[in-house]
Protein backbone atom coordinates (compact mmCIF):
# COMPACT_ATOMS: atom_id res chain seq x y z
CA UNK A 1 0.00 0.00 0.00
CA UNK A 2 2.83 2.38 0.85
CA UNK A 3 4.37 1.94 -2.62
CA UNK A 4 1.04 2.60 -4.33
CA UNK A 5 0.47 5.75 -2.33
CA UNK A 6 4.01 6.89 -3.05
CA UNK A 7 3.50 6.34 -6.79
CA UNK A 8 0.24 8.27 -6.64
CA UNK A 9 1.91 11.09 -4.67
CA UNK A 10 4.81 11.27 -7.12
CA UNK A 11 2.33 11.59 -9.98
CA UNK A 12 0.46 14.35 -8.21
CA UNK A 13 3.57 16.28 -7.23
CA UNK A 14 5.48 15.83 -10.45
CA UNK A 15 2.42 16.27 -12.64
CA UNK A 16 3.88 13.75 -15.07
CA UNK A 17 4.10 10.04 -15.54
CA UNK A 18 7.87 10.00 -15.10
CA UNK A 19 7.43 7.67 -12.12
CA UNK A 20 5.98 5.08 -14.49
CA UNK A 21 7.88 3.04 -17.02
CA UNK A 22 6.63 4.07 -20.41
CA UNK A 23 6.13 1.60 -23.22
CA UNK A 24 5.89 2.09 -26.94
CA UNK A 25 2.67 1.68 -28.86
CA UNK A 26 2.02 -2.05 -28.62
CA UNK A 27 -1.60 -2.48 -29.59
CA UNK A 28 -4.42 -0.98 -31.60
CA UNK A 29 -6.76 1.54 -30.03
CA UNK A 30 -10.51 1.25 -30.11
CA UNK A 31 -11.86 4.80 -30.39
CA UNK A 32 -15.52 3.82 -30.35
CA UNK A 33 -17.35 3.11 -27.11
CA UNK A 34 -16.66 -0.50 -26.25
CA UNK A 35 -19.25 -3.21 -25.95
CA UNK A 36 -17.79 -5.66 -23.50
CA UNK A 37 -19.35 -9.08 -22.97
CA UNK A 38 -18.87 -11.26 -19.93
CA UNK A 39 -18.66 -15.05 -19.99
CA UNK A 40 -22.45 -15.46 -19.99
CA UNK A 41 -22.65 -12.99 -22.93
CA UNK A 42 -24.06 -10.22 -20.74
CA UNK A 43 -22.51 -6.74 -21.21
CA UNK A 44 -20.12 -5.65 -18.48
CA UNK A 45 -21.06 -2.55 -16.48
CA UNK A 46 -17.84 -0.74 -17.46
CA UNK A 47 -18.95 -0.91 -21.07
CA UNK A 48 -20.53 2.24 -22.48
CA UNK A 49 -23.19 0.03 -24.10
CA UNK A 50 -24.28 -1.72 -20.91
CA UNK A 51 -27.98 -1.69 -20.20
CA UNK A 52 -28.26 -0.29 -16.69
CA UNK A 53 -31.24 -2.43 -15.80
CA UNK A 54 -29.05 -5.52 -16.29
CA UNK A 55 -26.84 -4.55 -13.35
CA UNK A 56 -28.77 -2.41 -10.90
CA UNK A 57 -30.76 -4.33 -8.34
CA UNK A 58 -33.63 -2.41 -6.76
CA UNK A 59 -32.91 -0.92 -3.34
CA UNK A 60 -29.22 -1.86 -3.45
CA UNK A 61 -27.81 1.63 -2.95
CA UNK A 62 -24.95 1.81 -0.46
CA UNK A 63 -25.49 5.12 1.28
CA UNK A 64 -23.34 4.28 4.30
CA UNK A 65 -20.01 5.18 2.68
CA UNK A 66 -18.40 8.52 3.56
CA UNK A 67 -17.67 11.13 0.88
CA UNK A 68 -14.34 10.67 -0.88
CA UNK A 69 -11.45 12.81 0.38
CA UNK A 70 -10.51 15.74 -1.89
CA UNK A 71 -7.25 14.09 -2.99
CA UNK A 72 -9.18 11.32 -4.80
CA UNK A 73 -12.58 12.90 -5.49
CA UNK A 74 -13.42 13.86 -9.08
CA UNK A 75 -12.14 17.33 -9.94
CA UNK A 76 -11.84 19.60 -12.97
CA UNK A 77 -8.15 20.02 -12.05
CA UNK A 78 -7.29 16.38 -12.85
CA UNK A 79 -5.75 15.19 -16.10
CA UNK A 80 -6.80 11.85 -17.67
CA UNK A 81 -3.70 9.92 -16.53
CA UNK A 82 -4.16 11.17 -12.99
CA UNK A 83 -7.76 9.90 -12.99
CA UNK A 84 -6.59 6.50 -14.25
CA UNK A 85 -3.94 6.21 -11.51
CA UNK A 86 -6.39 7.29 -8.80
CA UNK A 87 -8.80 4.54 -9.87
CA UNK A 88 -6.06 1.90 -10.33
CA UNK A 89 -4.55 2.65 -6.92
CA UNK A 90 -7.95 2.52 -5.22
CA UNK A 91 -8.87 -0.77 -6.90
CA UNK A 92 -5.50 -2.34 -6.04
CA UNK A 93 -6.56 -2.38 -2.37
CA UNK A 94 -10.33 -2.13 -2.75
CA UNK A 95 -11.17 -2.33 0.95
CA UNK A 96 -8.62 0.19 2.26
CA UNK A 97 -9.18 2.47 4.14
CA UNK A 98 -12.74 1.03 4.42
CA UNK A 99 -14.83 -1.68 2.78
CA UNK A 100 -15.65 -0.96 -0.89
CA UNK A 101 -13.51 2.20 -0.98
CA UNK A 102 -11.94 1.16 -4.33
CA UNK A 103 -15.28 0.49 -6.02
CA UNK A 104 -16.60 3.79 -4.64
CA UNK A 105 -13.65 5.64 -6.20
CA UNK A 106 -14.14 3.84 -9.54
CA UNK A 107 -17.88 4.56 -9.59
CA UNK A 108 -17.48 8.23 -8.73
CA UNK A 109 -14.96 8.54 -11.60
CA UNK A 110 -17.35 6.85 -14.06
CA UNK A 111 -19.21 8.87 -16.67
CA UNK A 112 -23.03 8.72 -16.60
CA UNK A 113 -22.86 6.81 -19.92
CA UNK A 114 -20.84 4.09 -18.16
CA UNK A 115 -23.04 1.36 -16.68
CA UNK A 116 -20.81 1.22 -13.59
CA UNK A 117 -21.96 4.70 -12.58
CA UNK A 118 -25.35 3.23 -11.60
CA UNK A 119 -23.97 0.39 -9.45
CA UNK A 120 -23.55 0.35 -5.71
CA UNK A 121 -19.96 -0.17 -4.51
CA UNK A 122 -20.97 -3.66 -3.34
CA UNK A 123 -22.26 -4.57 -6.80
CA UNK A 124 -19.13 -3.16 -8.42
CA UNK A 125 -16.96 -5.21 -6.03
CA UNK A 126 -18.62 -8.36 -7.37
CA UNK A 127 -17.34 -7.56 -10.87
CA UNK A 128 -13.80 -7.34 -9.55
CA UNK A 129 -14.06 -11.10 -8.99
CA UNK A 130 -14.58 -11.72 -12.72
CA UNK A 131 -11.44 -13.34 -14.19
CA UNK A 132 -10.79 -10.51 -16.65
CA UNK A 133 -11.03 -7.85 -13.92
CA UNK A 134 -9.24 -9.58 -11.01
CA UNK A 135 -5.96 -8.08 -12.22
CA UNK A 136 -7.26 -4.65 -11.15
CA UNK A 137 -7.02 -5.76 -7.52
CA UNK A 138 -3.82 -7.80 -7.93
CA UNK A 139 -1.41 -5.79 -10.12
CA UNK A 140 2.12 -5.00 -8.93
CA UNK A 141 3.46 -3.10 -11.94
CA UNK A 142 1.86 -0.59 -14.27
CA UNK A 143 3.01 0.92 -17.57
CA UNK A 144 1.30 3.63 -19.58
CA UNK A 145 1.81 4.10 -23.27
CA UNK A 146 3.82 7.26 -23.81
CA UNK A 147 1.09 8.98 -25.84
CA UNK A 148 -2.23 9.96 -24.32
CA UNK A 149 -4.64 10.55 -27.18
CA UNK A 150 -7.12 13.38 -26.79
CA UNK A 151 -9.63 13.92 -29.60
CA UNK A 152 -9.69 17.23 -31.43
CA UNK A 153 -12.85 18.18 -29.53
CA UNK A 154 -10.86 17.98 -26.27
CA UNK A 155 -13.70 15.97 -24.72
CA UNK A 156 -12.51 12.37 -25.24
CA UNK A 157 -9.21 10.77 -24.18
CA UNK A 158 -7.76 7.31 -24.82
CA UNK A 159 -4.96 5.70 -22.83
CA UNK A 160 -3.49 2.24 -23.17
CA UNK A 161 -2.32 0.86 -19.84
CA UNK A 162 -0.56 -2.41 -19.03
CA UNK A 163 -0.56 -4.08 -15.62
CA UNK A 164 1.00 -7.28 -14.32
CA UNK A 165 1.58 -9.33 -11.23
CA UNK A 166 5.18 -9.75 -10.02
CA UNK A 167 5.10 -13.54 -10.41
CA UNK A 168 3.49 -13.47 -13.88
CA UNK A 169 5.57 -12.65 -16.97
CA UNK A 170 2.52 -11.63 -19.02
CA UNK A 171 0.95 -8.19 -19.08
CA UNK A 172 -2.76 -7.44 -19.10
CA UNK A 173 -3.72 -4.63 -21.46
CA UNK A 174 -6.34 -2.08 -20.48
CA UNK A 175 -7.98 0.24 -22.96
CA UNK A 176 -9.15 3.21 -20.88
CA UNK A 177 -11.55 5.62 -22.57
CA UNK A 178 -12.38 8.85 -20.76
CA UNK A 179 -14.83 11.64 -21.48
CA UNK A 180 -15.20 15.11 -19.98
CA UNK A 181 -18.33 15.49 -17.87
CA UNK A 182 -18.92 18.96 -16.43
CA UNK A 183 -15.22 19.68 -17.02
CA UNK A 184 -14.03 16.51 -15.21
CA UNK A 185 -12.35 13.54 -16.88
CA UNK A 186 -14.44 10.42 -16.21
CA UNK A 187 -14.09 6.75 -17.26
CA UNK A 188 -16.39 6.04 -20.18
CA UNK A 189 -15.19 2.47 -20.65
CA UNK A 190 -12.43 0.29 -19.23
CA UNK A 191 -11.64 -2.88 -21.14
CA UNK A 192 -9.06 -5.48 -20.13
CA UNK A 193 -7.62 -7.99 -22.58
Amino acid sequence: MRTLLLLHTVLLVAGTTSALRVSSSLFVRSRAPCSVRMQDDEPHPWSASAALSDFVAPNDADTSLPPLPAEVAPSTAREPREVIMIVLNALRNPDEPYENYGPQVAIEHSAPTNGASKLSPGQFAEYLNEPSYQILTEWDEVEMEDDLDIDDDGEHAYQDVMVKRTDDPSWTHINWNLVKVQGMWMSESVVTY
Side-chain angles (χ1 to χ4, degrees):
M1 179 70 175
R2 186 178 247 169
T3 302
L4 296 175
L5 291 175
L6 177 60
L7 175 59
H8 177 71
T9 303
V10 169
L11 287 171
L12 288 176
V13 172
T16 69
T17 58
S18 60
L20 301 174
R21 289 190 317 207
V22 179
S23 67
S24 61
S25 201
L26 298 175
F27 42 92
V28 179
R29 280 182 192 80
S30 170
R31 295 192 184 276
C34 300
S35 177
V36 182
R37 298 282 171 186
M38 297 178 68
Q39 290 178 345
D40 59 0
D41 203 36
E42 291 295 321
H44 190 278
W46 267 20
S47 167
S49 65
L52 300 179
S53 60
D54 292 342
F55 303 105
V56 179
N59 302 320
D60 193 27
D62 189 346
T63 58
S64 62
L65 297 177
L68 291 176
E71 61 268 12
V72 296
S75 167
T76 57
R78 300 199 198 293
E79 294 299 320
R81 286 183 172 186
E82 187 178 357
V83 171
I84 291 168
M85 286 310 302
I86 286 171
V87 173
L88 279 174
N89 283 328
L91 292 176
R92 176 60 180 90
N93 293 294
D95 292 322
E96 292 181 24
Y98 51 82
E99 185 177 6
N100 289 328
Y101 169 79
Q104 179 187 8
V105 170
I107 291 166
E108 291 194 27
H109 284 86
S110 293
T113 54
N114 182 327
S117 68
K118 304 299 184 224
L119 297 177
S120 72
Q123 290 169 320
F124 188 95
E126 290 179 32
Y127 287 101
L128 295 176
N129 294 323
E130 292 293 322
S132 62
Y133 286 91
Q134 284 177 333
I135 187 68
L136 296 174
T137 64
E138 299 171 351
W139 62 271
D140 296 305
E141 295 180 49
V142 62
E143 290 187 8
M144 286 198 188
E145 182 179 283
D146 55 347
D147 293 327
L148 168 74
D149 290 331
I150 298 180
D151 278 355
D152 292 339
D153 66 5
E155 300 293 313
H156 294 85
Y158 310 92
Q159 180 67 58
D160 292 324
V161 181
M162 296 188 304
V163 292
K164 74 182 279 301
R165 298 168 187 93
T166 299
D167 59 348
D168 186 350
S170 64
W171 291 85
T172 297
H173 299 267
I174 305 171
N175 180 267
W176 213 295
N177 296 319
L178 300 101
V179 63
K180 272 195 176 175
V181 177
Q182 297 178 353
M184 297 177 286
W185 287 107
M186 309 290 267
S187 299
E188 186 169 45
S189 67
V190 178
V191 180
T192 63
Y193 58 98

